[in-house]
Amino acid sequence: MNELDLAWEEEERPRHRRRASSAPARKKKKGRGGRTFLAFFISLLVIGGLAFGAYAGVDRVKDLFAAPDYNGGGTGEVTVEVKSGQTSLEIAQTLLDAGVIKSTKAFVEAAKKNEERSKKIQPGFYKLRKQMRAADALTTLADPKNKVVDRVTIQEGLTMKATFELLSKETGIKVEEFNAAAKDPIALGVPDFWFNRTDGKPANKTVEGFLFPDTYEFGPGETATTILKKMVAHFLSVVQELDLVNIAQGKELMPFSALINASLVQGEAGTIADMPKVARVIYNRLNKKPPMNLEFDSTTNYWRELQGQPRKHNLTTAELTDPNNPYRTYGQAGLPPGPICSPGKEALNAALNPTPGEKWLYFVLIDKDKNSAFTDDYNQHLRNIETAKKNGAY
């Protein structure tokens, strides 16, 4: 055995001894490992239990801070009003006051989660249940089909009298209440300057002509006064859009005269296309020297309707020239005391913008499609009347 072998053997011997002596140590570690695993397992159970308890506690804490809300779909019935411009919080307060929701916070949170739905809420009256889930209340308000309204369509050309009868039928409010509310048009919102005129005739201060024809929605709390105020306000918004006052005054025409002209156009024209032409005939007759009588059957029929008499197609000379009729346009020059119906937007626009340049003085419905023939020659007008008779339009 050489020195290297001896050195190796000497070096290895201690290692063998260390391995031999370490065997009992491994045995001891094995015993401690079993106890360690058991302790670790118990620790897991303890930590898991603590975690579960902590989770359950957090859940309870969440419940403490959650917005109070009802669980069911609600019971009974209640009507609430959503007003124009209200925020979700203001709507929520209305619902809370009516007993619909349990808290404003629940409704506001529902509105935030469903912004698209909350944007669909329109002003108006709605029927809901008491003690509803906030989300269900939001869904109900977002659907316009759930609005509680009386929907009434006022057609162009209806008189004040016919309008009141229709409103009464649709809303259940008595005609007498509308008549009482209409006695003071200024109180209903008609500015006083609208009744100024410069032709020397007195103005008939009524709401005739100021009840703009359109489709309206009236809530269950409406009265005759609030309904007429809404209609007058709508009229004022339309004439502002048309800039009627400024345009009329720029043409040296009083706004009230323009409104009367528009009502005559509405009552006489058979089609929208003919409205500016009829307006031209009116202005041509009024501007003649001396002025020509308008000679419109519509003004006589308007007076008959106010008196509770039926409208007639073939009026007699005595009826057309009745001196007791302040609205007659036969045997009396100029405009009548006021409008004879509610003109629509097209008629108002025609009164401001009559067909330019034409010298027409006469017109007559020429066919069953309600087209009119216009001329400045009286003999041609007579021939047009014969054509109208043949077509069954006269």
Side-chain angles (χ1 to χ4, degrees):
M1 184 177 293
N2 57 32
E3 291 180 1
L4 287 175
D5 291 334
L6 285 172
W8 180 85
E9 186 177 14
E10 288 298 321
E11 182 65 21
E12 285 297 302
R13 280 174 188 164
R15 290 181 185 176
H16 285 299
R17 284 195 296 269
R18 283 197 295 271
R19 286 172 186 162
S21 63
S22 66
R26 284 195 195 100
K27 215 170 185 179
K28 288 178 183 179
K29 281 181 183 178
K30 186 176 180 181
R32 286 197 303 270
R35 290 192 297 274
T36 302
F37 176 76
L38 180 61
F40 177 70
F41 180 73
I42 293 170
S43 297
L44 281 178
L45 291 176
V46 172
I47 293 170
L50 289 172
F52 178 78
Y55 177 79
V58 169
D59 233 24
R60 289 194 184 95
V61 170
K62 284 182 179 179
D63 287 341
L64 288 174
F65 290 97
D69 199 0
Y70 291 116
N71 294 322
T75 59
E77 192 174 83
V78 63
T79 300
V80 299
E81 180 184 10
V82 175
K83 296 180 180 178
S84 180
Q86 279 191 317
T87 64
S88 59
L89 179 58
E90 290 170 332
I91 295 173
Q93 187 62 53
T94 300
L95 297 176
L96 181 67
D97 293 342
V100 176
I101 59 174
K102 198 170 187 178
S103 70
T104 57
K105 185 178 179 182
F107 184 85
V108 171
E109 287 180 354
K112 286 181 179 179
K113 289 178 182 178
N114 299 276
E115 289 188 4
E116 289 301 316
R117 184 174 294 171
S118 61
K119 288 178 182 177
K120 294 179 180 178
I121 299 177
Q122 301 174 4
F125 291 85
Y126 296 82
K127 278 189 179 179
L128 297 100
R129 293 181 176 277
K130 289 191 174 183
Q131 300 184 359
M132 295 179 69
R133 281 184 292 265
D136 292 343
L138 176 69
T139 301
T140 302
L141 294 177
D143 189 349
K145 293 180 181 178
N146 293 321
K147 292 179 71 176
V148 183
V149 295
D150 289 316
R151 189 173 282 104
V152 186
T153 298
I154 307 300
Q155 296 178 338
E156 293 87 349
L158 281 189
T159 63
M160 174 181 66
K161 184 175 184 294
T163 298
F164 292 169
E165 290 171 354
L166 179 58
L167 288 171
S168 177
K169 178 182 176 182
E170 298 297 330
T171 65
I173 300 172
K174 294 180 179 179
V175 170
E176 291 76 13
E177 294 182 44
F178 285 106
N179 286 327
K183 285 183 177 179
D184 187 354
I186 307 300
L188 293 176
V190 180
D192 189 49
F193 76 83
W194 270 96
F195 298 106
N196 294 336
R197 54 192 302 169
T198 57
D199 58 2
K201 290 187 176 183
N204 190 9
K205 291 188 176 183
T206 72
V207 292
E208 189 71 82
F210 295 98
L211 304 176
F212 192 76
D214 206 340
T215 297
Y216 294 88
E217 291 183 349
F218 302 119
E222 301 280 4
T223 65
T225 299
T226 60
I227 287 174
L228 297 186
K229 280 185 175 181
K230 283 185 177 180
M231 297 180 73
V232 169
H234 190 25
F235 166 83
L236 294 175
S237 69
V238 171
V239 296
Q240 183 176 9
E241 178 188 338
L242 294 174
D243 199 21
L244 186 147
V245 174
N246 290 328
I247 292 176
Q249 291 176 340
K251 296 183 177 183
E252 297 184 353
L253 180 67
M254 297 302 293
F256 192 53
S257 296
L259 178 59
I260 296 173
N261 288 350
S263 73
L264 296 174
V265 167
Q266 188 73 64
E268 290 286 335
T271 66
I272 292 175
D274 280 344
M275 286 183 173
K277 299 176 184 179
V278 172
R280 171 48 58 200
V281 171
I282 294 172
Y283 290 122
N284 286 347
R285 283 182 165 247
L286 292 174
N287 293 331
K288 287 283 284 186
K289 301 296 182 183
M292 291 178 66
N293 297 339
L294 291 178
E295 296 186 348
F296 288 163
D297 291 7
S298 57
T299 59
T300 297
N301 272 320
Y302 172 71
W303 177 250
R304 287 177 62 84
E305 184 178 326
L306 290 186
Q307 304 308 306
Q309 300 174 359
R311 288 175 171 261
K312 288 179 64 177
H313 177 60
N314 293 312
L315 293 160
T316 66
T317 301
E319 290 168 336
L320 291 170
T321 58
D322 180 2
N324 295 317
N325 176 6
Y327 281 84
R328 75 185 187 278
T329 50
Y330 283 83
Q332 180 170 262
L335 294 171
I340 62 169
C341 68
S342 294
K345 194 172 183 179
E346 292 83 2
L348 288 167
N349 194 52
L352 293 175
N353 301 287
T355 301
E358 298 291 348
K359 297 180 180 180
W360 300 317
L361 294 171
Y362 312 96
F363 68 94
V364 64
L365 290 176
I366 199 74
D367 56 35
K368 290 185 178 180
D369 292 327
K370 296 186 176 182
N371 296 302
S372 294
F374 296 82
T375 183
D376 60 348
D377 181 80
Y378 183 67
N379 290 325
Q380 180 59 49
H381 178 56
L382 293 177
R383 289 191 289 271
N384 290 339
I385 291 175
E386 291 303 315
T387 301
K389 289 178 179 179
K390 289 179 182 178
N391 292 334
Y394 189 79

